[in-house]
Amino acid sequence: MVDKAGTDRDRPWVFRTYSGHSSAEASNALYRTNLAKGQTGLSVAFDLPTQTGYDADHPLARGEVGKVGVPVAHLDDMEALFREIPLDRMNTSMTINATAAWLLALYVAAAERQGVAPEALRGTTQNDIVKEYLSRGTYVFPPEPSIRLISDMVAYTVHAIPSWNPINICSYHLQEAGATPVQEIAYAMANAIGVLDAVRDRGDVPDDVIPQVFARISFFLNAGIRFVEEICKARAMAELWDELGRDRYGVTDAKLRRFRYGVQVNSLGLTEAQPENNVIRIVLEALGVTFSKKARCRALQLPAWNEALGLPRPWDQQWSLRIQQILAYETDLLEYEDLFDGSHVVEARTEELRKEAKEELDRVLAMGGAVAAVENAYMKQRLVESHTRRVRAIESQEQTVVGVNAFTEAEPSPLVEGEQSILVVDDSAEREQVERLRAFRSRRNQADVDTALRGLRDALSNGDNVMPPSIRAAHAGVTTGEWSDTLRDLYGEYRAPTGVSAQGAAAGDDGMQDVRERVGALADRLGRPLKILVGKPGLDGHSNGAEQIAVRARDVGMEVVYEGIRLTPEEIARSARDEGVHVIGLSILSGSHGVLVLDVLEALRSDGTDVPVVVGGIIPDDDAERLLEAGVKRVYTPKDFDLGRIMDEVVDVVEETAGLG
């Protein structure tokens, strides 16, 4: 491309926004609007039932349908999602993992109904299950069969859909879970090695195809606010990836060893307090992955400034798209060679990160690789520890977060005034999706469905590739829940380690002594240790906040019951009764608090368990008031960063309930 001054410019990266909600029809309208505004690729957000393999009428889907993404249960939904969007001219990224093979099958089937051959498709399935065990929580099956599904997709797409990225190794979510740059690099590379080794060990992928497989592995990075360090991180990853391709996999063509990555800039650092500050944070984070030509991202999606408050509106997403367009088209960024070649600062930090990451990678490989480091909880524990250090640095003001722990004086923001400051998914979306699902089931040919499911089960039992029978199942009318249940029957389900160890911090080393003394005194009055259950009802797998509450509660002397993610309200109530807890802390980040918290309260009443409940999550003020009116004792949102204060108030709640206040 040449600008008006005649200067050669690089082509810009793919512009995306991560979006989808309510229904396939509503999401399709949003996609077509965004494309008309200059977006050049799609990034599909699926709702939690779709991500975890449930149909909308499954009990575990209650309250979650259409909340954090679009529900896709069958081929008609997928067709509606991409109506009037020609799939042979679109670059589509799908954030889908445990059920990635199924959603890709639906996408291929939808393309075929458009008259588009699979080999014409371009895009990415995230398909990174290791990071789901570590951070995001939408895993379903155990590690071994999950890796098999991933390798099936890699082996299938390398020939059948050659321009498709079958997996996006996601270090993004590792940073959201607390990873340092060194951990982000090392664990991402360990993950990629695990997938590549699994593909190399297959009998149906010849050695001479491995370079092509290597070339289709892409990455999905996080870009935090320390943008100089992020530049160095991206450069270090590019160097390490090139080294792995050459030395471990024998890839001789340098083009096939290129480090290809997309980015969503940091959401962990977005603040509910003074949310307008998030705009400049997003801009600076975008610079970290676009400044260095040698390590520039291939695709970029920016969060909206108000995502710490709730779902962004179309206008908010437009603002994030315009940030990208201004950076690409108005500045001179794309006119120059790499700005950092020869910089002793950047080169030194890059080499330091590369060296330290290589050492951590070697530790993971020595214990058997990424899957082993998931199963023995090594990586998860390291991430929880790193996140704990970050939280404590903010609490102690060692790390400044403007508007949160410093410079907190502020004028009211006109951007958050009024009831429409965020997008609220109407409660009718779930009911309407269930109705569409049941209507679809009633008009399909059940004999075709049964035959397709039997073919899927037989193929997997025989060790055949999952993709061909899944595409046939999509055309036959199989649903997301039915496909997933077939695999559940074969493989079972899995619960990943929580990473919360039993050992607490040494007393007096973190400014918590006053709270420890209160917890100890209350235990004496209760006649036993104060006990808290930390629970995550529903399908929300983002466990970082729950883990930090569990760690802090343990460190101030409470007994902690934390069983991880994806619990039903009834399971939480039963555990509270059986464990004899004094208080329940619920964490919900998916927007389903209005349903699931009330379900937990009802389950407690039905079980005859009188235990106070506190709730944390992305909860608007009006919703918080309703929860308090329903009987919740305290509501915490992202602005409540001081975990010491929260622990102190938990003691207040137990004292009040026990009549000891």
Side-chain angles (χ1 to χ4, degrees):
M1 191 170 86
V2 178
D3 70 5
K4 293 179 180 178
T7 305
D8 289 336
R9 294 172 61 90
D10 289 339
R11 293 176 62 185
W13 51 89
V14 177
F15 302 154
R16 288 189 173 121
T17 54
Y18 179 56
S19 53
H21 64 82
S22 302
S23 68
E25 290 79 6
S27 299
N28 172 260
L30 177 62
Y31 295 164
R32 288 188 285 113
T33 298
N34 287 345
L35 291 169
K37 292 175 180 176
Q39 187 172 303
T40 55
L42 293 177
S43 181
V44 180
F46 295 101
D47 73 354
L48 287 173
T50 304
Q51 292 185 55
T52 52
Y54 294 106
D55 289 333
D57 56 355
H58 191 281
L60 274 172
R62 175 171 161 76
E64 306 279 20
V65 177
K67 285 285 172 61
V68 300
V70 56
V72 174
H74 45 72
L75 183 52
D76 284 8
D77 281 346
M78 189 64 88
E79 279 197 289
L81 187 62
F82 292 103
R83 188 163 292 131
E84 298 182 36
I85 299 174
L87 296 184
D88 55 342
R89 300 204 297 273
M90 183 49 54
N91 190 312
T92 302
S93 173
M94 295 191 282
T95 299
I96 197 71
N97 296 281
T99 55
W102 174 242
L103 271 298
L104 179 58
L106 288 172
Y107 190 77
V108 169
E112 289 175 336
R113 283 196 176 178
Q114 281 190 5
V116 175
E119 55 265 27
L121 299 176
R122 292 179 301 129
T124 303
T125 32
Q126 193 168 97
N127 201 21
D128 175 0
I129 205 66
V130 166
K131 68 92 174 52
E132 295 300 317
Y133 299 131
L134 296 175
S135 60
R136 198 167 164 272
T138 67
Y139 57 83
V140 177
F141 315 114
E144 185 176 342
S146 295
I147 294 296
R148 178 208 161 160
L149 293 174
I150 293 170
S151 72
D152 277 0
M153 290 178 65
V154 175
Y156 179 81
T157 56
V158 72
H159 294 300
I161 320 177
S163 294
W164 194 266
N165 301 314
I167 183 171
N168 216 206
I169 304 293
C170 292
S171 67
Y172 172 86
H173 302 91
L174 304 182
Q175 187 180 123
E176 296 288 300
T180 65
V182 167
Q183 291 169 336
E184 190 176 342
I185 298 169
Y187 299 163
M189 293 297 162
N191 191 356
I193 287 170
V195 171
L196 284 164
D197 285 358
V199 174
R200 187 175 58 182
D201 292 343
R202 295 173 64 100
D204 58 350
V205 180
D207 290 344
D208 60 359
V209 176
I210 292 299
Q212 297 300 323
V213 170
F214 189 90
R216 296 318 305 172
I217 303 293
S218 63
F219 288 76
F220 189 59
L221 271 59
N222 206 324
I225 195 66
R226 292 170 58 84
F227 70 93
V228 175
E229 188 168 65
E230 296 295 343
I231 291 168
C232 298
K233 180 188 76 182
R235 289 168 71 98
M237 292 184 84
E239 292 178 10
L240 192 51
W241 185 241
D242 182 77
E243 178 185 325
L244 282 171
R246 183 187 65 244
D247 298 345
R248 188 179 181 98
Y249 298 103
V251 183
T252 57
D253 186 340
K255 290 182 179 179
L256 300 183
R257 300 198 305 265
R258 286 176 179 168
F259 181 66
R260 299 180 310 111
Y261 75 98
V263 177
Q264 157 102 10
V265 307
N266 188 274
S267 295
L268 179 65
L270 300 181
T271 63
E272 179 186 15
Q274 298 180 25
E276 61 277 4
N277 295 341
N278 293 329
V279 176
I280 189 58
R281 291 187 177 105
I282 291 167
V283 172
L284 291 173
E285 289 165 353
L287 293 180
V289 290
T290 56
F291 254 16
S292 175
K293 179 177 179 178
K294 187 177 292 183
R296 184 172 293 149
C297 65
R298 299 291 187 92
L300 180 60
Q301 56 192 47
L302 303 181
W305 67 279
N306 58 348
E307 286 193 18
L309 308 178
L311 282 176
R313 302 157 297 185
W315 182 86
D316 306 311
Q317 291 196 329
Q318 173 186 292
W319 196 357
S320 291
L321 176 60
R322 296 295 183 247
I323 290 171
Q324 292 203 57
Q325 291 168 326
I326 290 167
L327 182 60
Y329 296 125
E330 293 192 24
T331 76
D332 57 354
L333 176 66
L334 299 179
E335 296 172 15
Y336 297 96
E337 293 303 310
D338 200 293
L339 304 177
F340 300 98
D341 281 352
S343 165
H344 67 276
V345 173
V346 169
E347 290 181 354
R349 183 59 178 145
T350 298
E351 175 56 23
E352 184 178 34
L353 289 174
R354 193 198 67 80
K355 180 176 179 294
E356 292 180 13
K358 184 65 165 57
E359 292 171 354
E360 180 67 4
L361 171 60
D362 288 343
R363 275 190 286 272
V364 173
L365 295 179
M367 64 181 64
V371 169
V374 165
E375 293 176 330
N376 68 17
Y378 173 79
M379 289 195 292
K380 182 65 171 177
Q381 288 174 357
R382 298 293 81 75
L383 294 177
V384 171
E385 291 166 1
S386 296
H387 198 193
T388 299
R389 287 193 294 271
R390 176 185 179 273
V391 169
R392 288 177 178 170
I394 294 172
E395 287 180 312
S396 67
Q397 297 188 317
E398 177 185 344
Q399 178 176 332
T400 297
V401 181
V402 173
V404 174
N405 65 357
F407 313 109
T408 54
E409 303 79 8
E411 297 296 326
S413 172
L415 294 176
V416 298
E417 292 179 353
E419 295 182 359
Q420 302 302 316
S421 60
I422 57 172
L423 178 67
V424 178
V425 175
D426 194 283
D427 289 341
S428 64
E430 181 169 324
R431 182 181 67 253
E432 291 168 0
Q433 177 65 13
V434 170
E435 291 171 356
R436 284 190 294 269
L437 172 65
R438 291 174 176 167
F440 174 83
R441 289 193 189 122
S442 70
R443 64 177 180 268
R444 68 186 181 176
N445 186 311
Q446 189 61 43
D448 290 346
V449 171
D450 294 341
T451 299
L453 289 174
R454 187 164 54 250
L456 174 66
R457 184 167 50 251
D458 291 346
L460 291 172
S461 298
N462 294 332
D464 297 337
N465 194 299
V466 72
M467 288 305 302
S470 293
I471 294 170
R472 290 193 291 271
H475 279 297
V478 168
T479 68
T480 296
E482 291 165 341
W483 182 90
S484 302
D485 285 346
T486 300
L487 273 68
R488 283 187 176 95
D489 289 344
L490 286 170
Y491 302 142
E493 290 200 64
Y494 184 71
R495 293 196 70 81
T498 67
V500 178
S501 65
Q503 183 178 357
D509 67 349
D510 55 3
M512 291 290 103
Q513 191 56 35
D514 289 346
V515 181
R516 284 194 187 92
E517 290 175 359
R518 285 199 68 198
V519 170
L522 181 55
D524 290 341
R525 298 162 72 192
L526 292 170
R528 61 187 179 94
L530 194 160
K531 197 170 189 178
I532 182 172
L533 184 154
V534 178
K536 286 193 67 64
L539 299 177
D540 169 33
H542 288 86
S543 59
N544 303 333
E547 289 157 3
Q548 292 307 310
I549 290 292
V551 168
R552 187 54 57 92
R554 176 205 64 189
D555 289 351
V556 298
M558 299 183 195
E559 285 192 12
V560 178
V561 178
Y562 177 56
E563 298 171 348
I565 62 172
R566 217 176 298 165
L567 300 171
T568 66
E570 292 74 21
E571 286 173 331
I572 289 172
R574 187 162 55 248
S575 181
R577 179 199 65 204
D578 294 345
E579 295 283 352
V581 303
H582 298 100
V583 61
I584 298 171
L586 300 179
S587 169
I588 304 175
L589 298 174
S590 64
S592 57
H593 48 266
V595 172
L596 293 178
V597 172
L598 300 185
D599 284 355
V600 171
L601 293 175
E602 177 57 32
L604 289 168
R605 282 192 289 268
S606 297
D607 205 44
T609 304
D610 185 17
V611 178
V613 174
V614 301
V615 178
I618 300 175
I619 302 173
D621 290 343
D622 290 346
D623 287 1
E625 286 297 321
R626 285 191 282 270
L627 293 178
L628 292 170
E629 291 170 1
V632 171
K633 299 301 181 183
R634 300 286 191 280
V635 175
Y636 299 101
T637 67
K639 69 177 181 296
D640 300 302
F641 69 94
D642 188 342
L643 299 189
R645 178 179 67 81
I646 292 175
M647 291 299 106
D648 204 40
E649 293 185 5
V650 167
V651 176
D652 291 340
V653 167
V654 176
E655 285 182 337
E656 292 164 7
T657 305
L660 300 174

